[in-house]
Amino acid sequence: MIMSGAFSIGMLSAFAVLLFLLVDRTEQLQSSQAQTLSRIQHLLNNPSVLSSWNDDTDFCNVEPNSSLTVVCYEDTVTQLHIIGEKGTPQLPENFSMDSFITTLVKLPNLKVLKLVSLGLWGPLSGKIARLSSLEIFNVSSNLLSGPIPKELSSLMSLQTMILDGNAFSGQLPHWIGQLQDLTVLSLQRNSFNGSLPSSLGDLNNLRVLSLSHNGFFGPVPDLSRLTNLQVLDLEDNSLDGPFPKMSNKLISIILKKNKFRSGIPAGLSTYYQLQLLDLSSNTFVGPFLQQLLALPSINYIDIAGNKFTGLLSENLSCNKELMFVDLSSNLLTGHLPDCLLNLRKVDVRYAGNCLSTGDQDQQPVSFCRNEALAVGILPSNKNQKRGTKTIVALGISGGTIGGIALVGLAFLLVRRNIMNKPSKTPPTRLILETVSTGYTSKILSDARYIHQTMNLGSIGLPAYRTFSLEEIGEATGNFDSSVFMGEGSHGQMYRGQLKNGSLVAIRCLKMKKSRDVQNFMHHIELISKLRHPHVVSALGHCFECHWDDTSVGRIFLIFEYVPNGTLGTWLSGGRSRQLLTWAQRIAAAIGIAKGIQFLHTGIIPGLYSNNLKISDILLDQNLIAKISSYNLPLMGENSGKDGNKSKKTASRVNHADRNDIYELGVIILELMVGQWLKTKSEIDAVKDQVQLSLAANQVARRSIIDPAIQRASSDQSLRTMMEISLRCLQSDPADQPSVEDVLWNLQFASQVQNGWRDSHSSEYSQSPGSPS
Ligand SMILES: *[C@@H]1O[C@H](CO)[C@@H](O)[C@H](O)[C@H]1NC(C)=O
Ligand SMILES: *[C@@H]1O[C@H](CO)[C@@H](O)[C@H](O)[C@H]1NC(C)=O
Ligand SMILES: *[C@@H]1O[C@H](CO)[C@@H](O)[C@H](O)[C@H]1NC(C)=O
Ligand SMILES: *[C@@H]1O[C@H](CO)[C@@H](O)[C@H](O)[C@H]1NC(C)=O
Ligand SMILES: *[C@@H]1O[C@H](CO)[C@@H](O)[C@H](O)[C@H]1NC(C)=O
């Protein structure tokens, strides 16, 4: 057949020579190219799409159609499109890709080569690079295998390279960055693996980058210089790291089915051309940018199957052109935006969140809250972790409340006692101590009891949550100097105001070591539980990650803002404002003791050695004392010597809680004498005075206390406070009282003082300082 074809074309040429008496080189060339085309037909095993080709075919003048196109320019073939039938089987054993390419390159002027669904198999020969004018190369839906040949790097005119649906393997080579004219790179559905070369970021002309359904892993290189990039499709690989960095001109972003565990950058809300965003089936964390729903061009959003958090509200606005929105299986709370329900065109899915919609399988809000905190914990630990967490969570709210409830109960008994036999003969401390002995650990371990007491109240704070960087920037006027509150070893503090008007304190911790988010999650989990009426409570956190790796640059911890200054400023020695009454001082001491009790036993692991100072106890608008400078996890972590620290903590663990008791003793002394005691010798001097006055009489005792409270304090309560402070200040921690013991004595002093005040109300009137 070839022979006869060649022969007839040869005859034709001879005829032409005869006619024009001229050797037409162009025609000669065309005939060799015609031979090549016939040879290609043969090598491809005469596919049906080429069945019309025969010896007489004038290849350059056949009407092109979608499956077969030959384009010639000056009698040479410049375009060849052969699109076989879908599912064409592999060419037979005697097919050789190498011979096929050797034949093909006899069409040296090819600019466009599409060989689709032809059953081509075997490695792509590097000889293909002899087609040095090649601009568009599409060999999708074949069975080609092996790596991309290095020789392709010399195809400097290549604009489009499509290898989709083959069995190519190996890595995407670094030299790809040399193909500066490349506008479309599509390697979908192959077996490529390895990490993506950073040189991808050099392909300035790239419009489409489609690497979906391969085995690529690792982070996505910086694509932000690809200002022409419109389509990024990385679906179904094993990519991870931070959200890919790219220009905001993208039209379509598909990161579906990878291993991303980062948050999404706020900058995504400036992608004004974005039409399609598919982040589904990853482990994206942090707040879902609700502005995305209102992007000017958006019509498709799929974030299903991640760990996005956030409170949706009915108020949100969304783009009217939205066609598809899938929010399913995330940790979203709040209400489904009305705009999604009102759009007729839109297909909205939201099952498996914690939205208050009453349909589509929503979880309780607590589930999302707990899960949001568990983000970053490896799945293998997850069940175990979750179990612990629930108990711990109950332990906090329930434990404290349980404690309060029990105190309240015993208190009623005591109170009734006092009523019956008024203040002169209060019950002895012995009884109180018997009641209090060892209740804490037992109750904390009895989850059922805790559960029953949980409904006794909550601390009235918004739920712990993650904040977005944007939100924090807004709250602080981008960290304006006017909201800077101070800087200590625990990082900078800023005052902020959230959108809902509430004030917060934001602590900014710069991380020295490069660690990724997961390394901090166990700390965050603990911090999220730091919520108690007598502890400056955590409201949320926010990670700021570096773009170039997964590491955390800064962590922002958001705390409740406590407006009324430090306890120290409310004493005579502080002299900056109105002074606290004796009853208010006892109430403050009770608050601190409860705060300590919570830090030691209300969370697991407890926080000990909190370095409590009167200048670190804050008062809120109701003069409720709150501990602000507790031994926050993360701080030690960041100091770079955590190894030593944990060892030290371990060896001291038995008496670690006693340090806090000692410091509480100092604070009680300070409350009594109205002075800050800064040095050990100052403390010892006052301690000695107190000791002496206890052994002496009421006049002696009154003489050493803050003049502001001398007249308005009952001697019995003063004595109780003095006794308990001295016990707290015992040098041997084993001799110090437990925090429960301290608490009971303080409660007792408070009762006595209130009883005394009631009976002296005619001569002395003052607003009650009520212990909480
Ligand atoms: C391959 O073998 C078949 C017969 O088995 C034959 O018809 C065909 O021409 C051969 N193709 C090549 C390229 O040799
Ligand atoms: C395209 O044209 C060829 C002949 O030139 C023919 O065999 C083939 O069936 C056509 N395909 C379509 C899709 O029209
Ligand atoms: C490759 O060519 C085939 C056949 O024309 C076409 O269906 C496919 O879309 C092309 N691939 C790309 C990525 O353009
Ligand atoms: C990549 O794939 C090849 C086979 O295609 C395999 O030999 C190699 O181990 C893989 N590399 C990695 C890092 O998985
Ligand atoms: C909804 O919007 C109105 C006015 O824009 C505002 O007053 C209200 O607080 C918003 N509600 C929520 C839940 O955001």
Side-chain angles (χ1 to χ4, degrees), residues 513-652:
K513 300 178 192 166
S514 68
R515 303 255 192 95
D516 61 17
V517 169
Q518 284 100 296
N519 288 358
F520 296 105
M521 286 320 293
H522 63 288
H523 292 309
I524 293 294
E525 205 182 346
L526 186 62
I527 287 170
S528 73
K529 293 180 179 133
L530 285 166
R531 296 161 70 86
H532 183 270
H534 294 292
V535 164
V536 175
S537 297
L539 302 178
H541 68 269
C542 170
F543 287 110
E544 183 186 57
C545 295
H546 292 301
W547 273 120
D548 43 354
D549 54 19
T550 48
S551 70
V552 173
R554 292 192 289 182
I555 299 179
F556 299 98
L557 299 175
I558 295 89
F559 294 94
E560 61 176 323
Y561 181 75
V562 184
N564 246 337
T566 78
L567 180 56
T569 62
W570 289 80
L571 304 181
S572 293
R575 287 199 193 290
S576 65
R577 55 177 95 221
Q578 170 203 343
L579 303 179
L580 292 182
T581 66
W582 179 230
Q584 285 169 330
R585 294 180 199 206
I586 301 174
I590 290 172
I592 300 165
K594 284 181 180 172
I596 293 173
Q597 188 185 34
F598 167 73
L599 292 173
H600 290 184
T601 59
I603 43 177
I604 297 169
L607 296 184
Y608 298 97
S609 307
N610 292 295
N611 194 18
L612 302 171
K613 294 196 201 73
I614 199 161
S615 53
D616 290 328
I617 309 296
L618 302 181
L619 295 186
D620 76 0
Q621 59 281 6
N622 301 317
L623 302 183
I624 304 292
K626 290 169 185 276
I627 300 174
S628 78
S629 69
Y630 37 82
N631 188 2
L632 201 58
L634 270 184
M635 308 305 173
E637 185 89 358
N638 204 32
S639 68
K641 48 184 178 186
D642 33 352
N644 295 341
K645 200 179 169 231
S646 56
K647 229 180 276 164
K648 213 162 84 195
T649 318
S651 69
R652 265 199 340 221

Side-chain angles (χ1 to χ4, degrees), residues 211-214 233-237 254-258:
L211 307 177
S212 62
H213 307 284
N214 278 288
D233 180 2
L234 303 178
E235 177 178 348
D236 188 19
N237 280 283
I254 305 176
L255 304 181
K256 180 177 181 169
K257 279 181 88 178
N258 275 285

Side-chain angles (χ1 to χ4, degrees), residues 314-331:
E314 289 114 322
N315 268 6
L316 286 181
S317 50
C318 30
N319 188 316
K320 301 272 181 300
E321 301 304 316
L322 277 174
M323 308 282 283
F324 181 84
V325 176
D326 193 346
L327 310 174
S328 312
S329 303
N330 276 287
L331 305 173

Side-chain angles (χ1 to χ4, degrees), residues 234-458:
L234 303 178
E235 177 178 348
D236 188 19
N237 280 283
S238 298
L239 297 162
D240 57 21
F243 195 89
K245 210 176 172 188
M246 51 199 144
S247 99
N248 68 354
K249 301 224 179 76
L250 265 290
I251 290 175
S252 171
I253 301 175
I254 305 176
L255 304 181
K256 180 177 181 169
K257 279 181 88 178
N258 275 285
K259 299 190 169 162
F260 291 104
R261 285 174 158 259
S262 68
I264 53 176
L268 211 50
S269 57
T270 68
Y271 284 42
Y272 59 98
Q273 303 196 75
L274 192 63
Q275 296 174 8
L276 184 155
L277 179 65
D278 188 344
L279 307 179
S280 59
S281 305
N282 278 284
T283 318
F284 280 111
V285 299
F288 168 59
L289 287 179
Q290 308 182 6
Q291 305 94 301
L292 296 181
L293 291 171
L295 283 177
S297 310
I298 198 81
N299 57 49
Y300 184 109
I301 295 187
D302 188 349
I303 61 161
N306 281 290
K307 298 210 175 231
F308 281 116
T309 55
L311 185 68
L312 300 185
S313 67
E314 289 114 322
N315 268 6
L316 286 181
S317 50
C318 30
N319 188 316
K320 301 272 181 300
E321 301 304 316
L322 277 174
M323 308 282 283
F324 181 84
V325 176
D326 193 346
L327 310 174
S328 312
S329 303
N330 276 287
L331 305 173
L332 301 170
T333 55
H335 298 272
L336 200 64
D338 286 340
C339 62
L340 288 181
L341 296 173
N342 296 342
L343 288 180
R344 202 160 293 152
K345 275 191 287 184
V346 73
D347 175 2
V348 185
R349 303 169 193 189
Y350 51 89
N353 281 286
C354 302
L355 297 165
S356 45
T357 56
D359 61 346
Q360 285 213 16
D361 327 326
Q362 300 298 312
Q363 304 273 5
V365 171
S366 59
F367 171 83
C368 286
R369 202 152 59 222
N370 286 341
E371 283 293 301
L373 297 171
V375 164
I377 294 168
L378 296 172
S380 54
N381 291 344
K382 208 166 170 187
N383 288 337
Q384 186 193 348
K385 264 294 202 285
R386 198 182 298 164
T388 325
K389 187 166 351 110
T390 325
I391 291 173
V392 173
L394 288 169
I396 306 170
S397 37
T400 349
I401 295 162
I404 292 168
L406 201 81
V407 169
L409 193 71
F411 216 84
L412 280 177
L413 297 177
V414 175
R415 180 146 201 162
R416 194 171 303 142
N417 243 326
I418 294 175
M419 300 303 192
N420 294 348
K421 307 178 248 167
S423 63
K424 303 280 182 319
T425 53
T428 65
R429 203 174 63 219
L430 191 66
I431 294 167
L432 295 174
E433 279 177 351
T434 327
V435 175
S436 72
T437 304
Y439 81 86
T440 334
S441 54
K442 187 166 177 300
I443 285 176
L444 284 176
S445 62
D446 187 344
R448 254 183 321 169
Y449 179 83
I450 289 163
H451 183 69
Q452 284 164 10
T453 53
M454 265 190 77
N455 58 1
L456 287 177
S458 75

Side-chain angles (χ1 to χ4, degrees), residues 121-191:
W121 62 271
L124 180 62
S125 165
K127 289 177 193 158
I128 190 85
R130 293 186 196 161
L131 299 174
S132 58
S133 310
L134 201 59
E135 293 173 3
I136 296 179
F137 182 53
N138 179 347
V139 289
S140 48
S141 307
N142 285 290
L143 297 138
L144 298 169
S145 57
I148 303 178
K150 166 137 195 7
E151 289 84 350
L152 286 188
S153 63
S154 66
L155 292 177
M156 297 313 286
S157 305
L158 199 61
Q159 294 170 12
T160 296
M161 176 151 87
I162 298 163
L163 310 181
D164 298 351
N166 280 281
F168 285 107
S169 60
Q171 306 200 353
L172 180 55
H174 193 265
W175 55 252
I176 199 80
Q178 296 171 21
L179 301 179
Q180 279 297 307
D181 286 346
L182 212 55
T183 56
V184 176
L185 177 60
S186 188
L187 310 178
Q188 296 180 21
R189 301 186 312 279
N190 278 285
S191 302

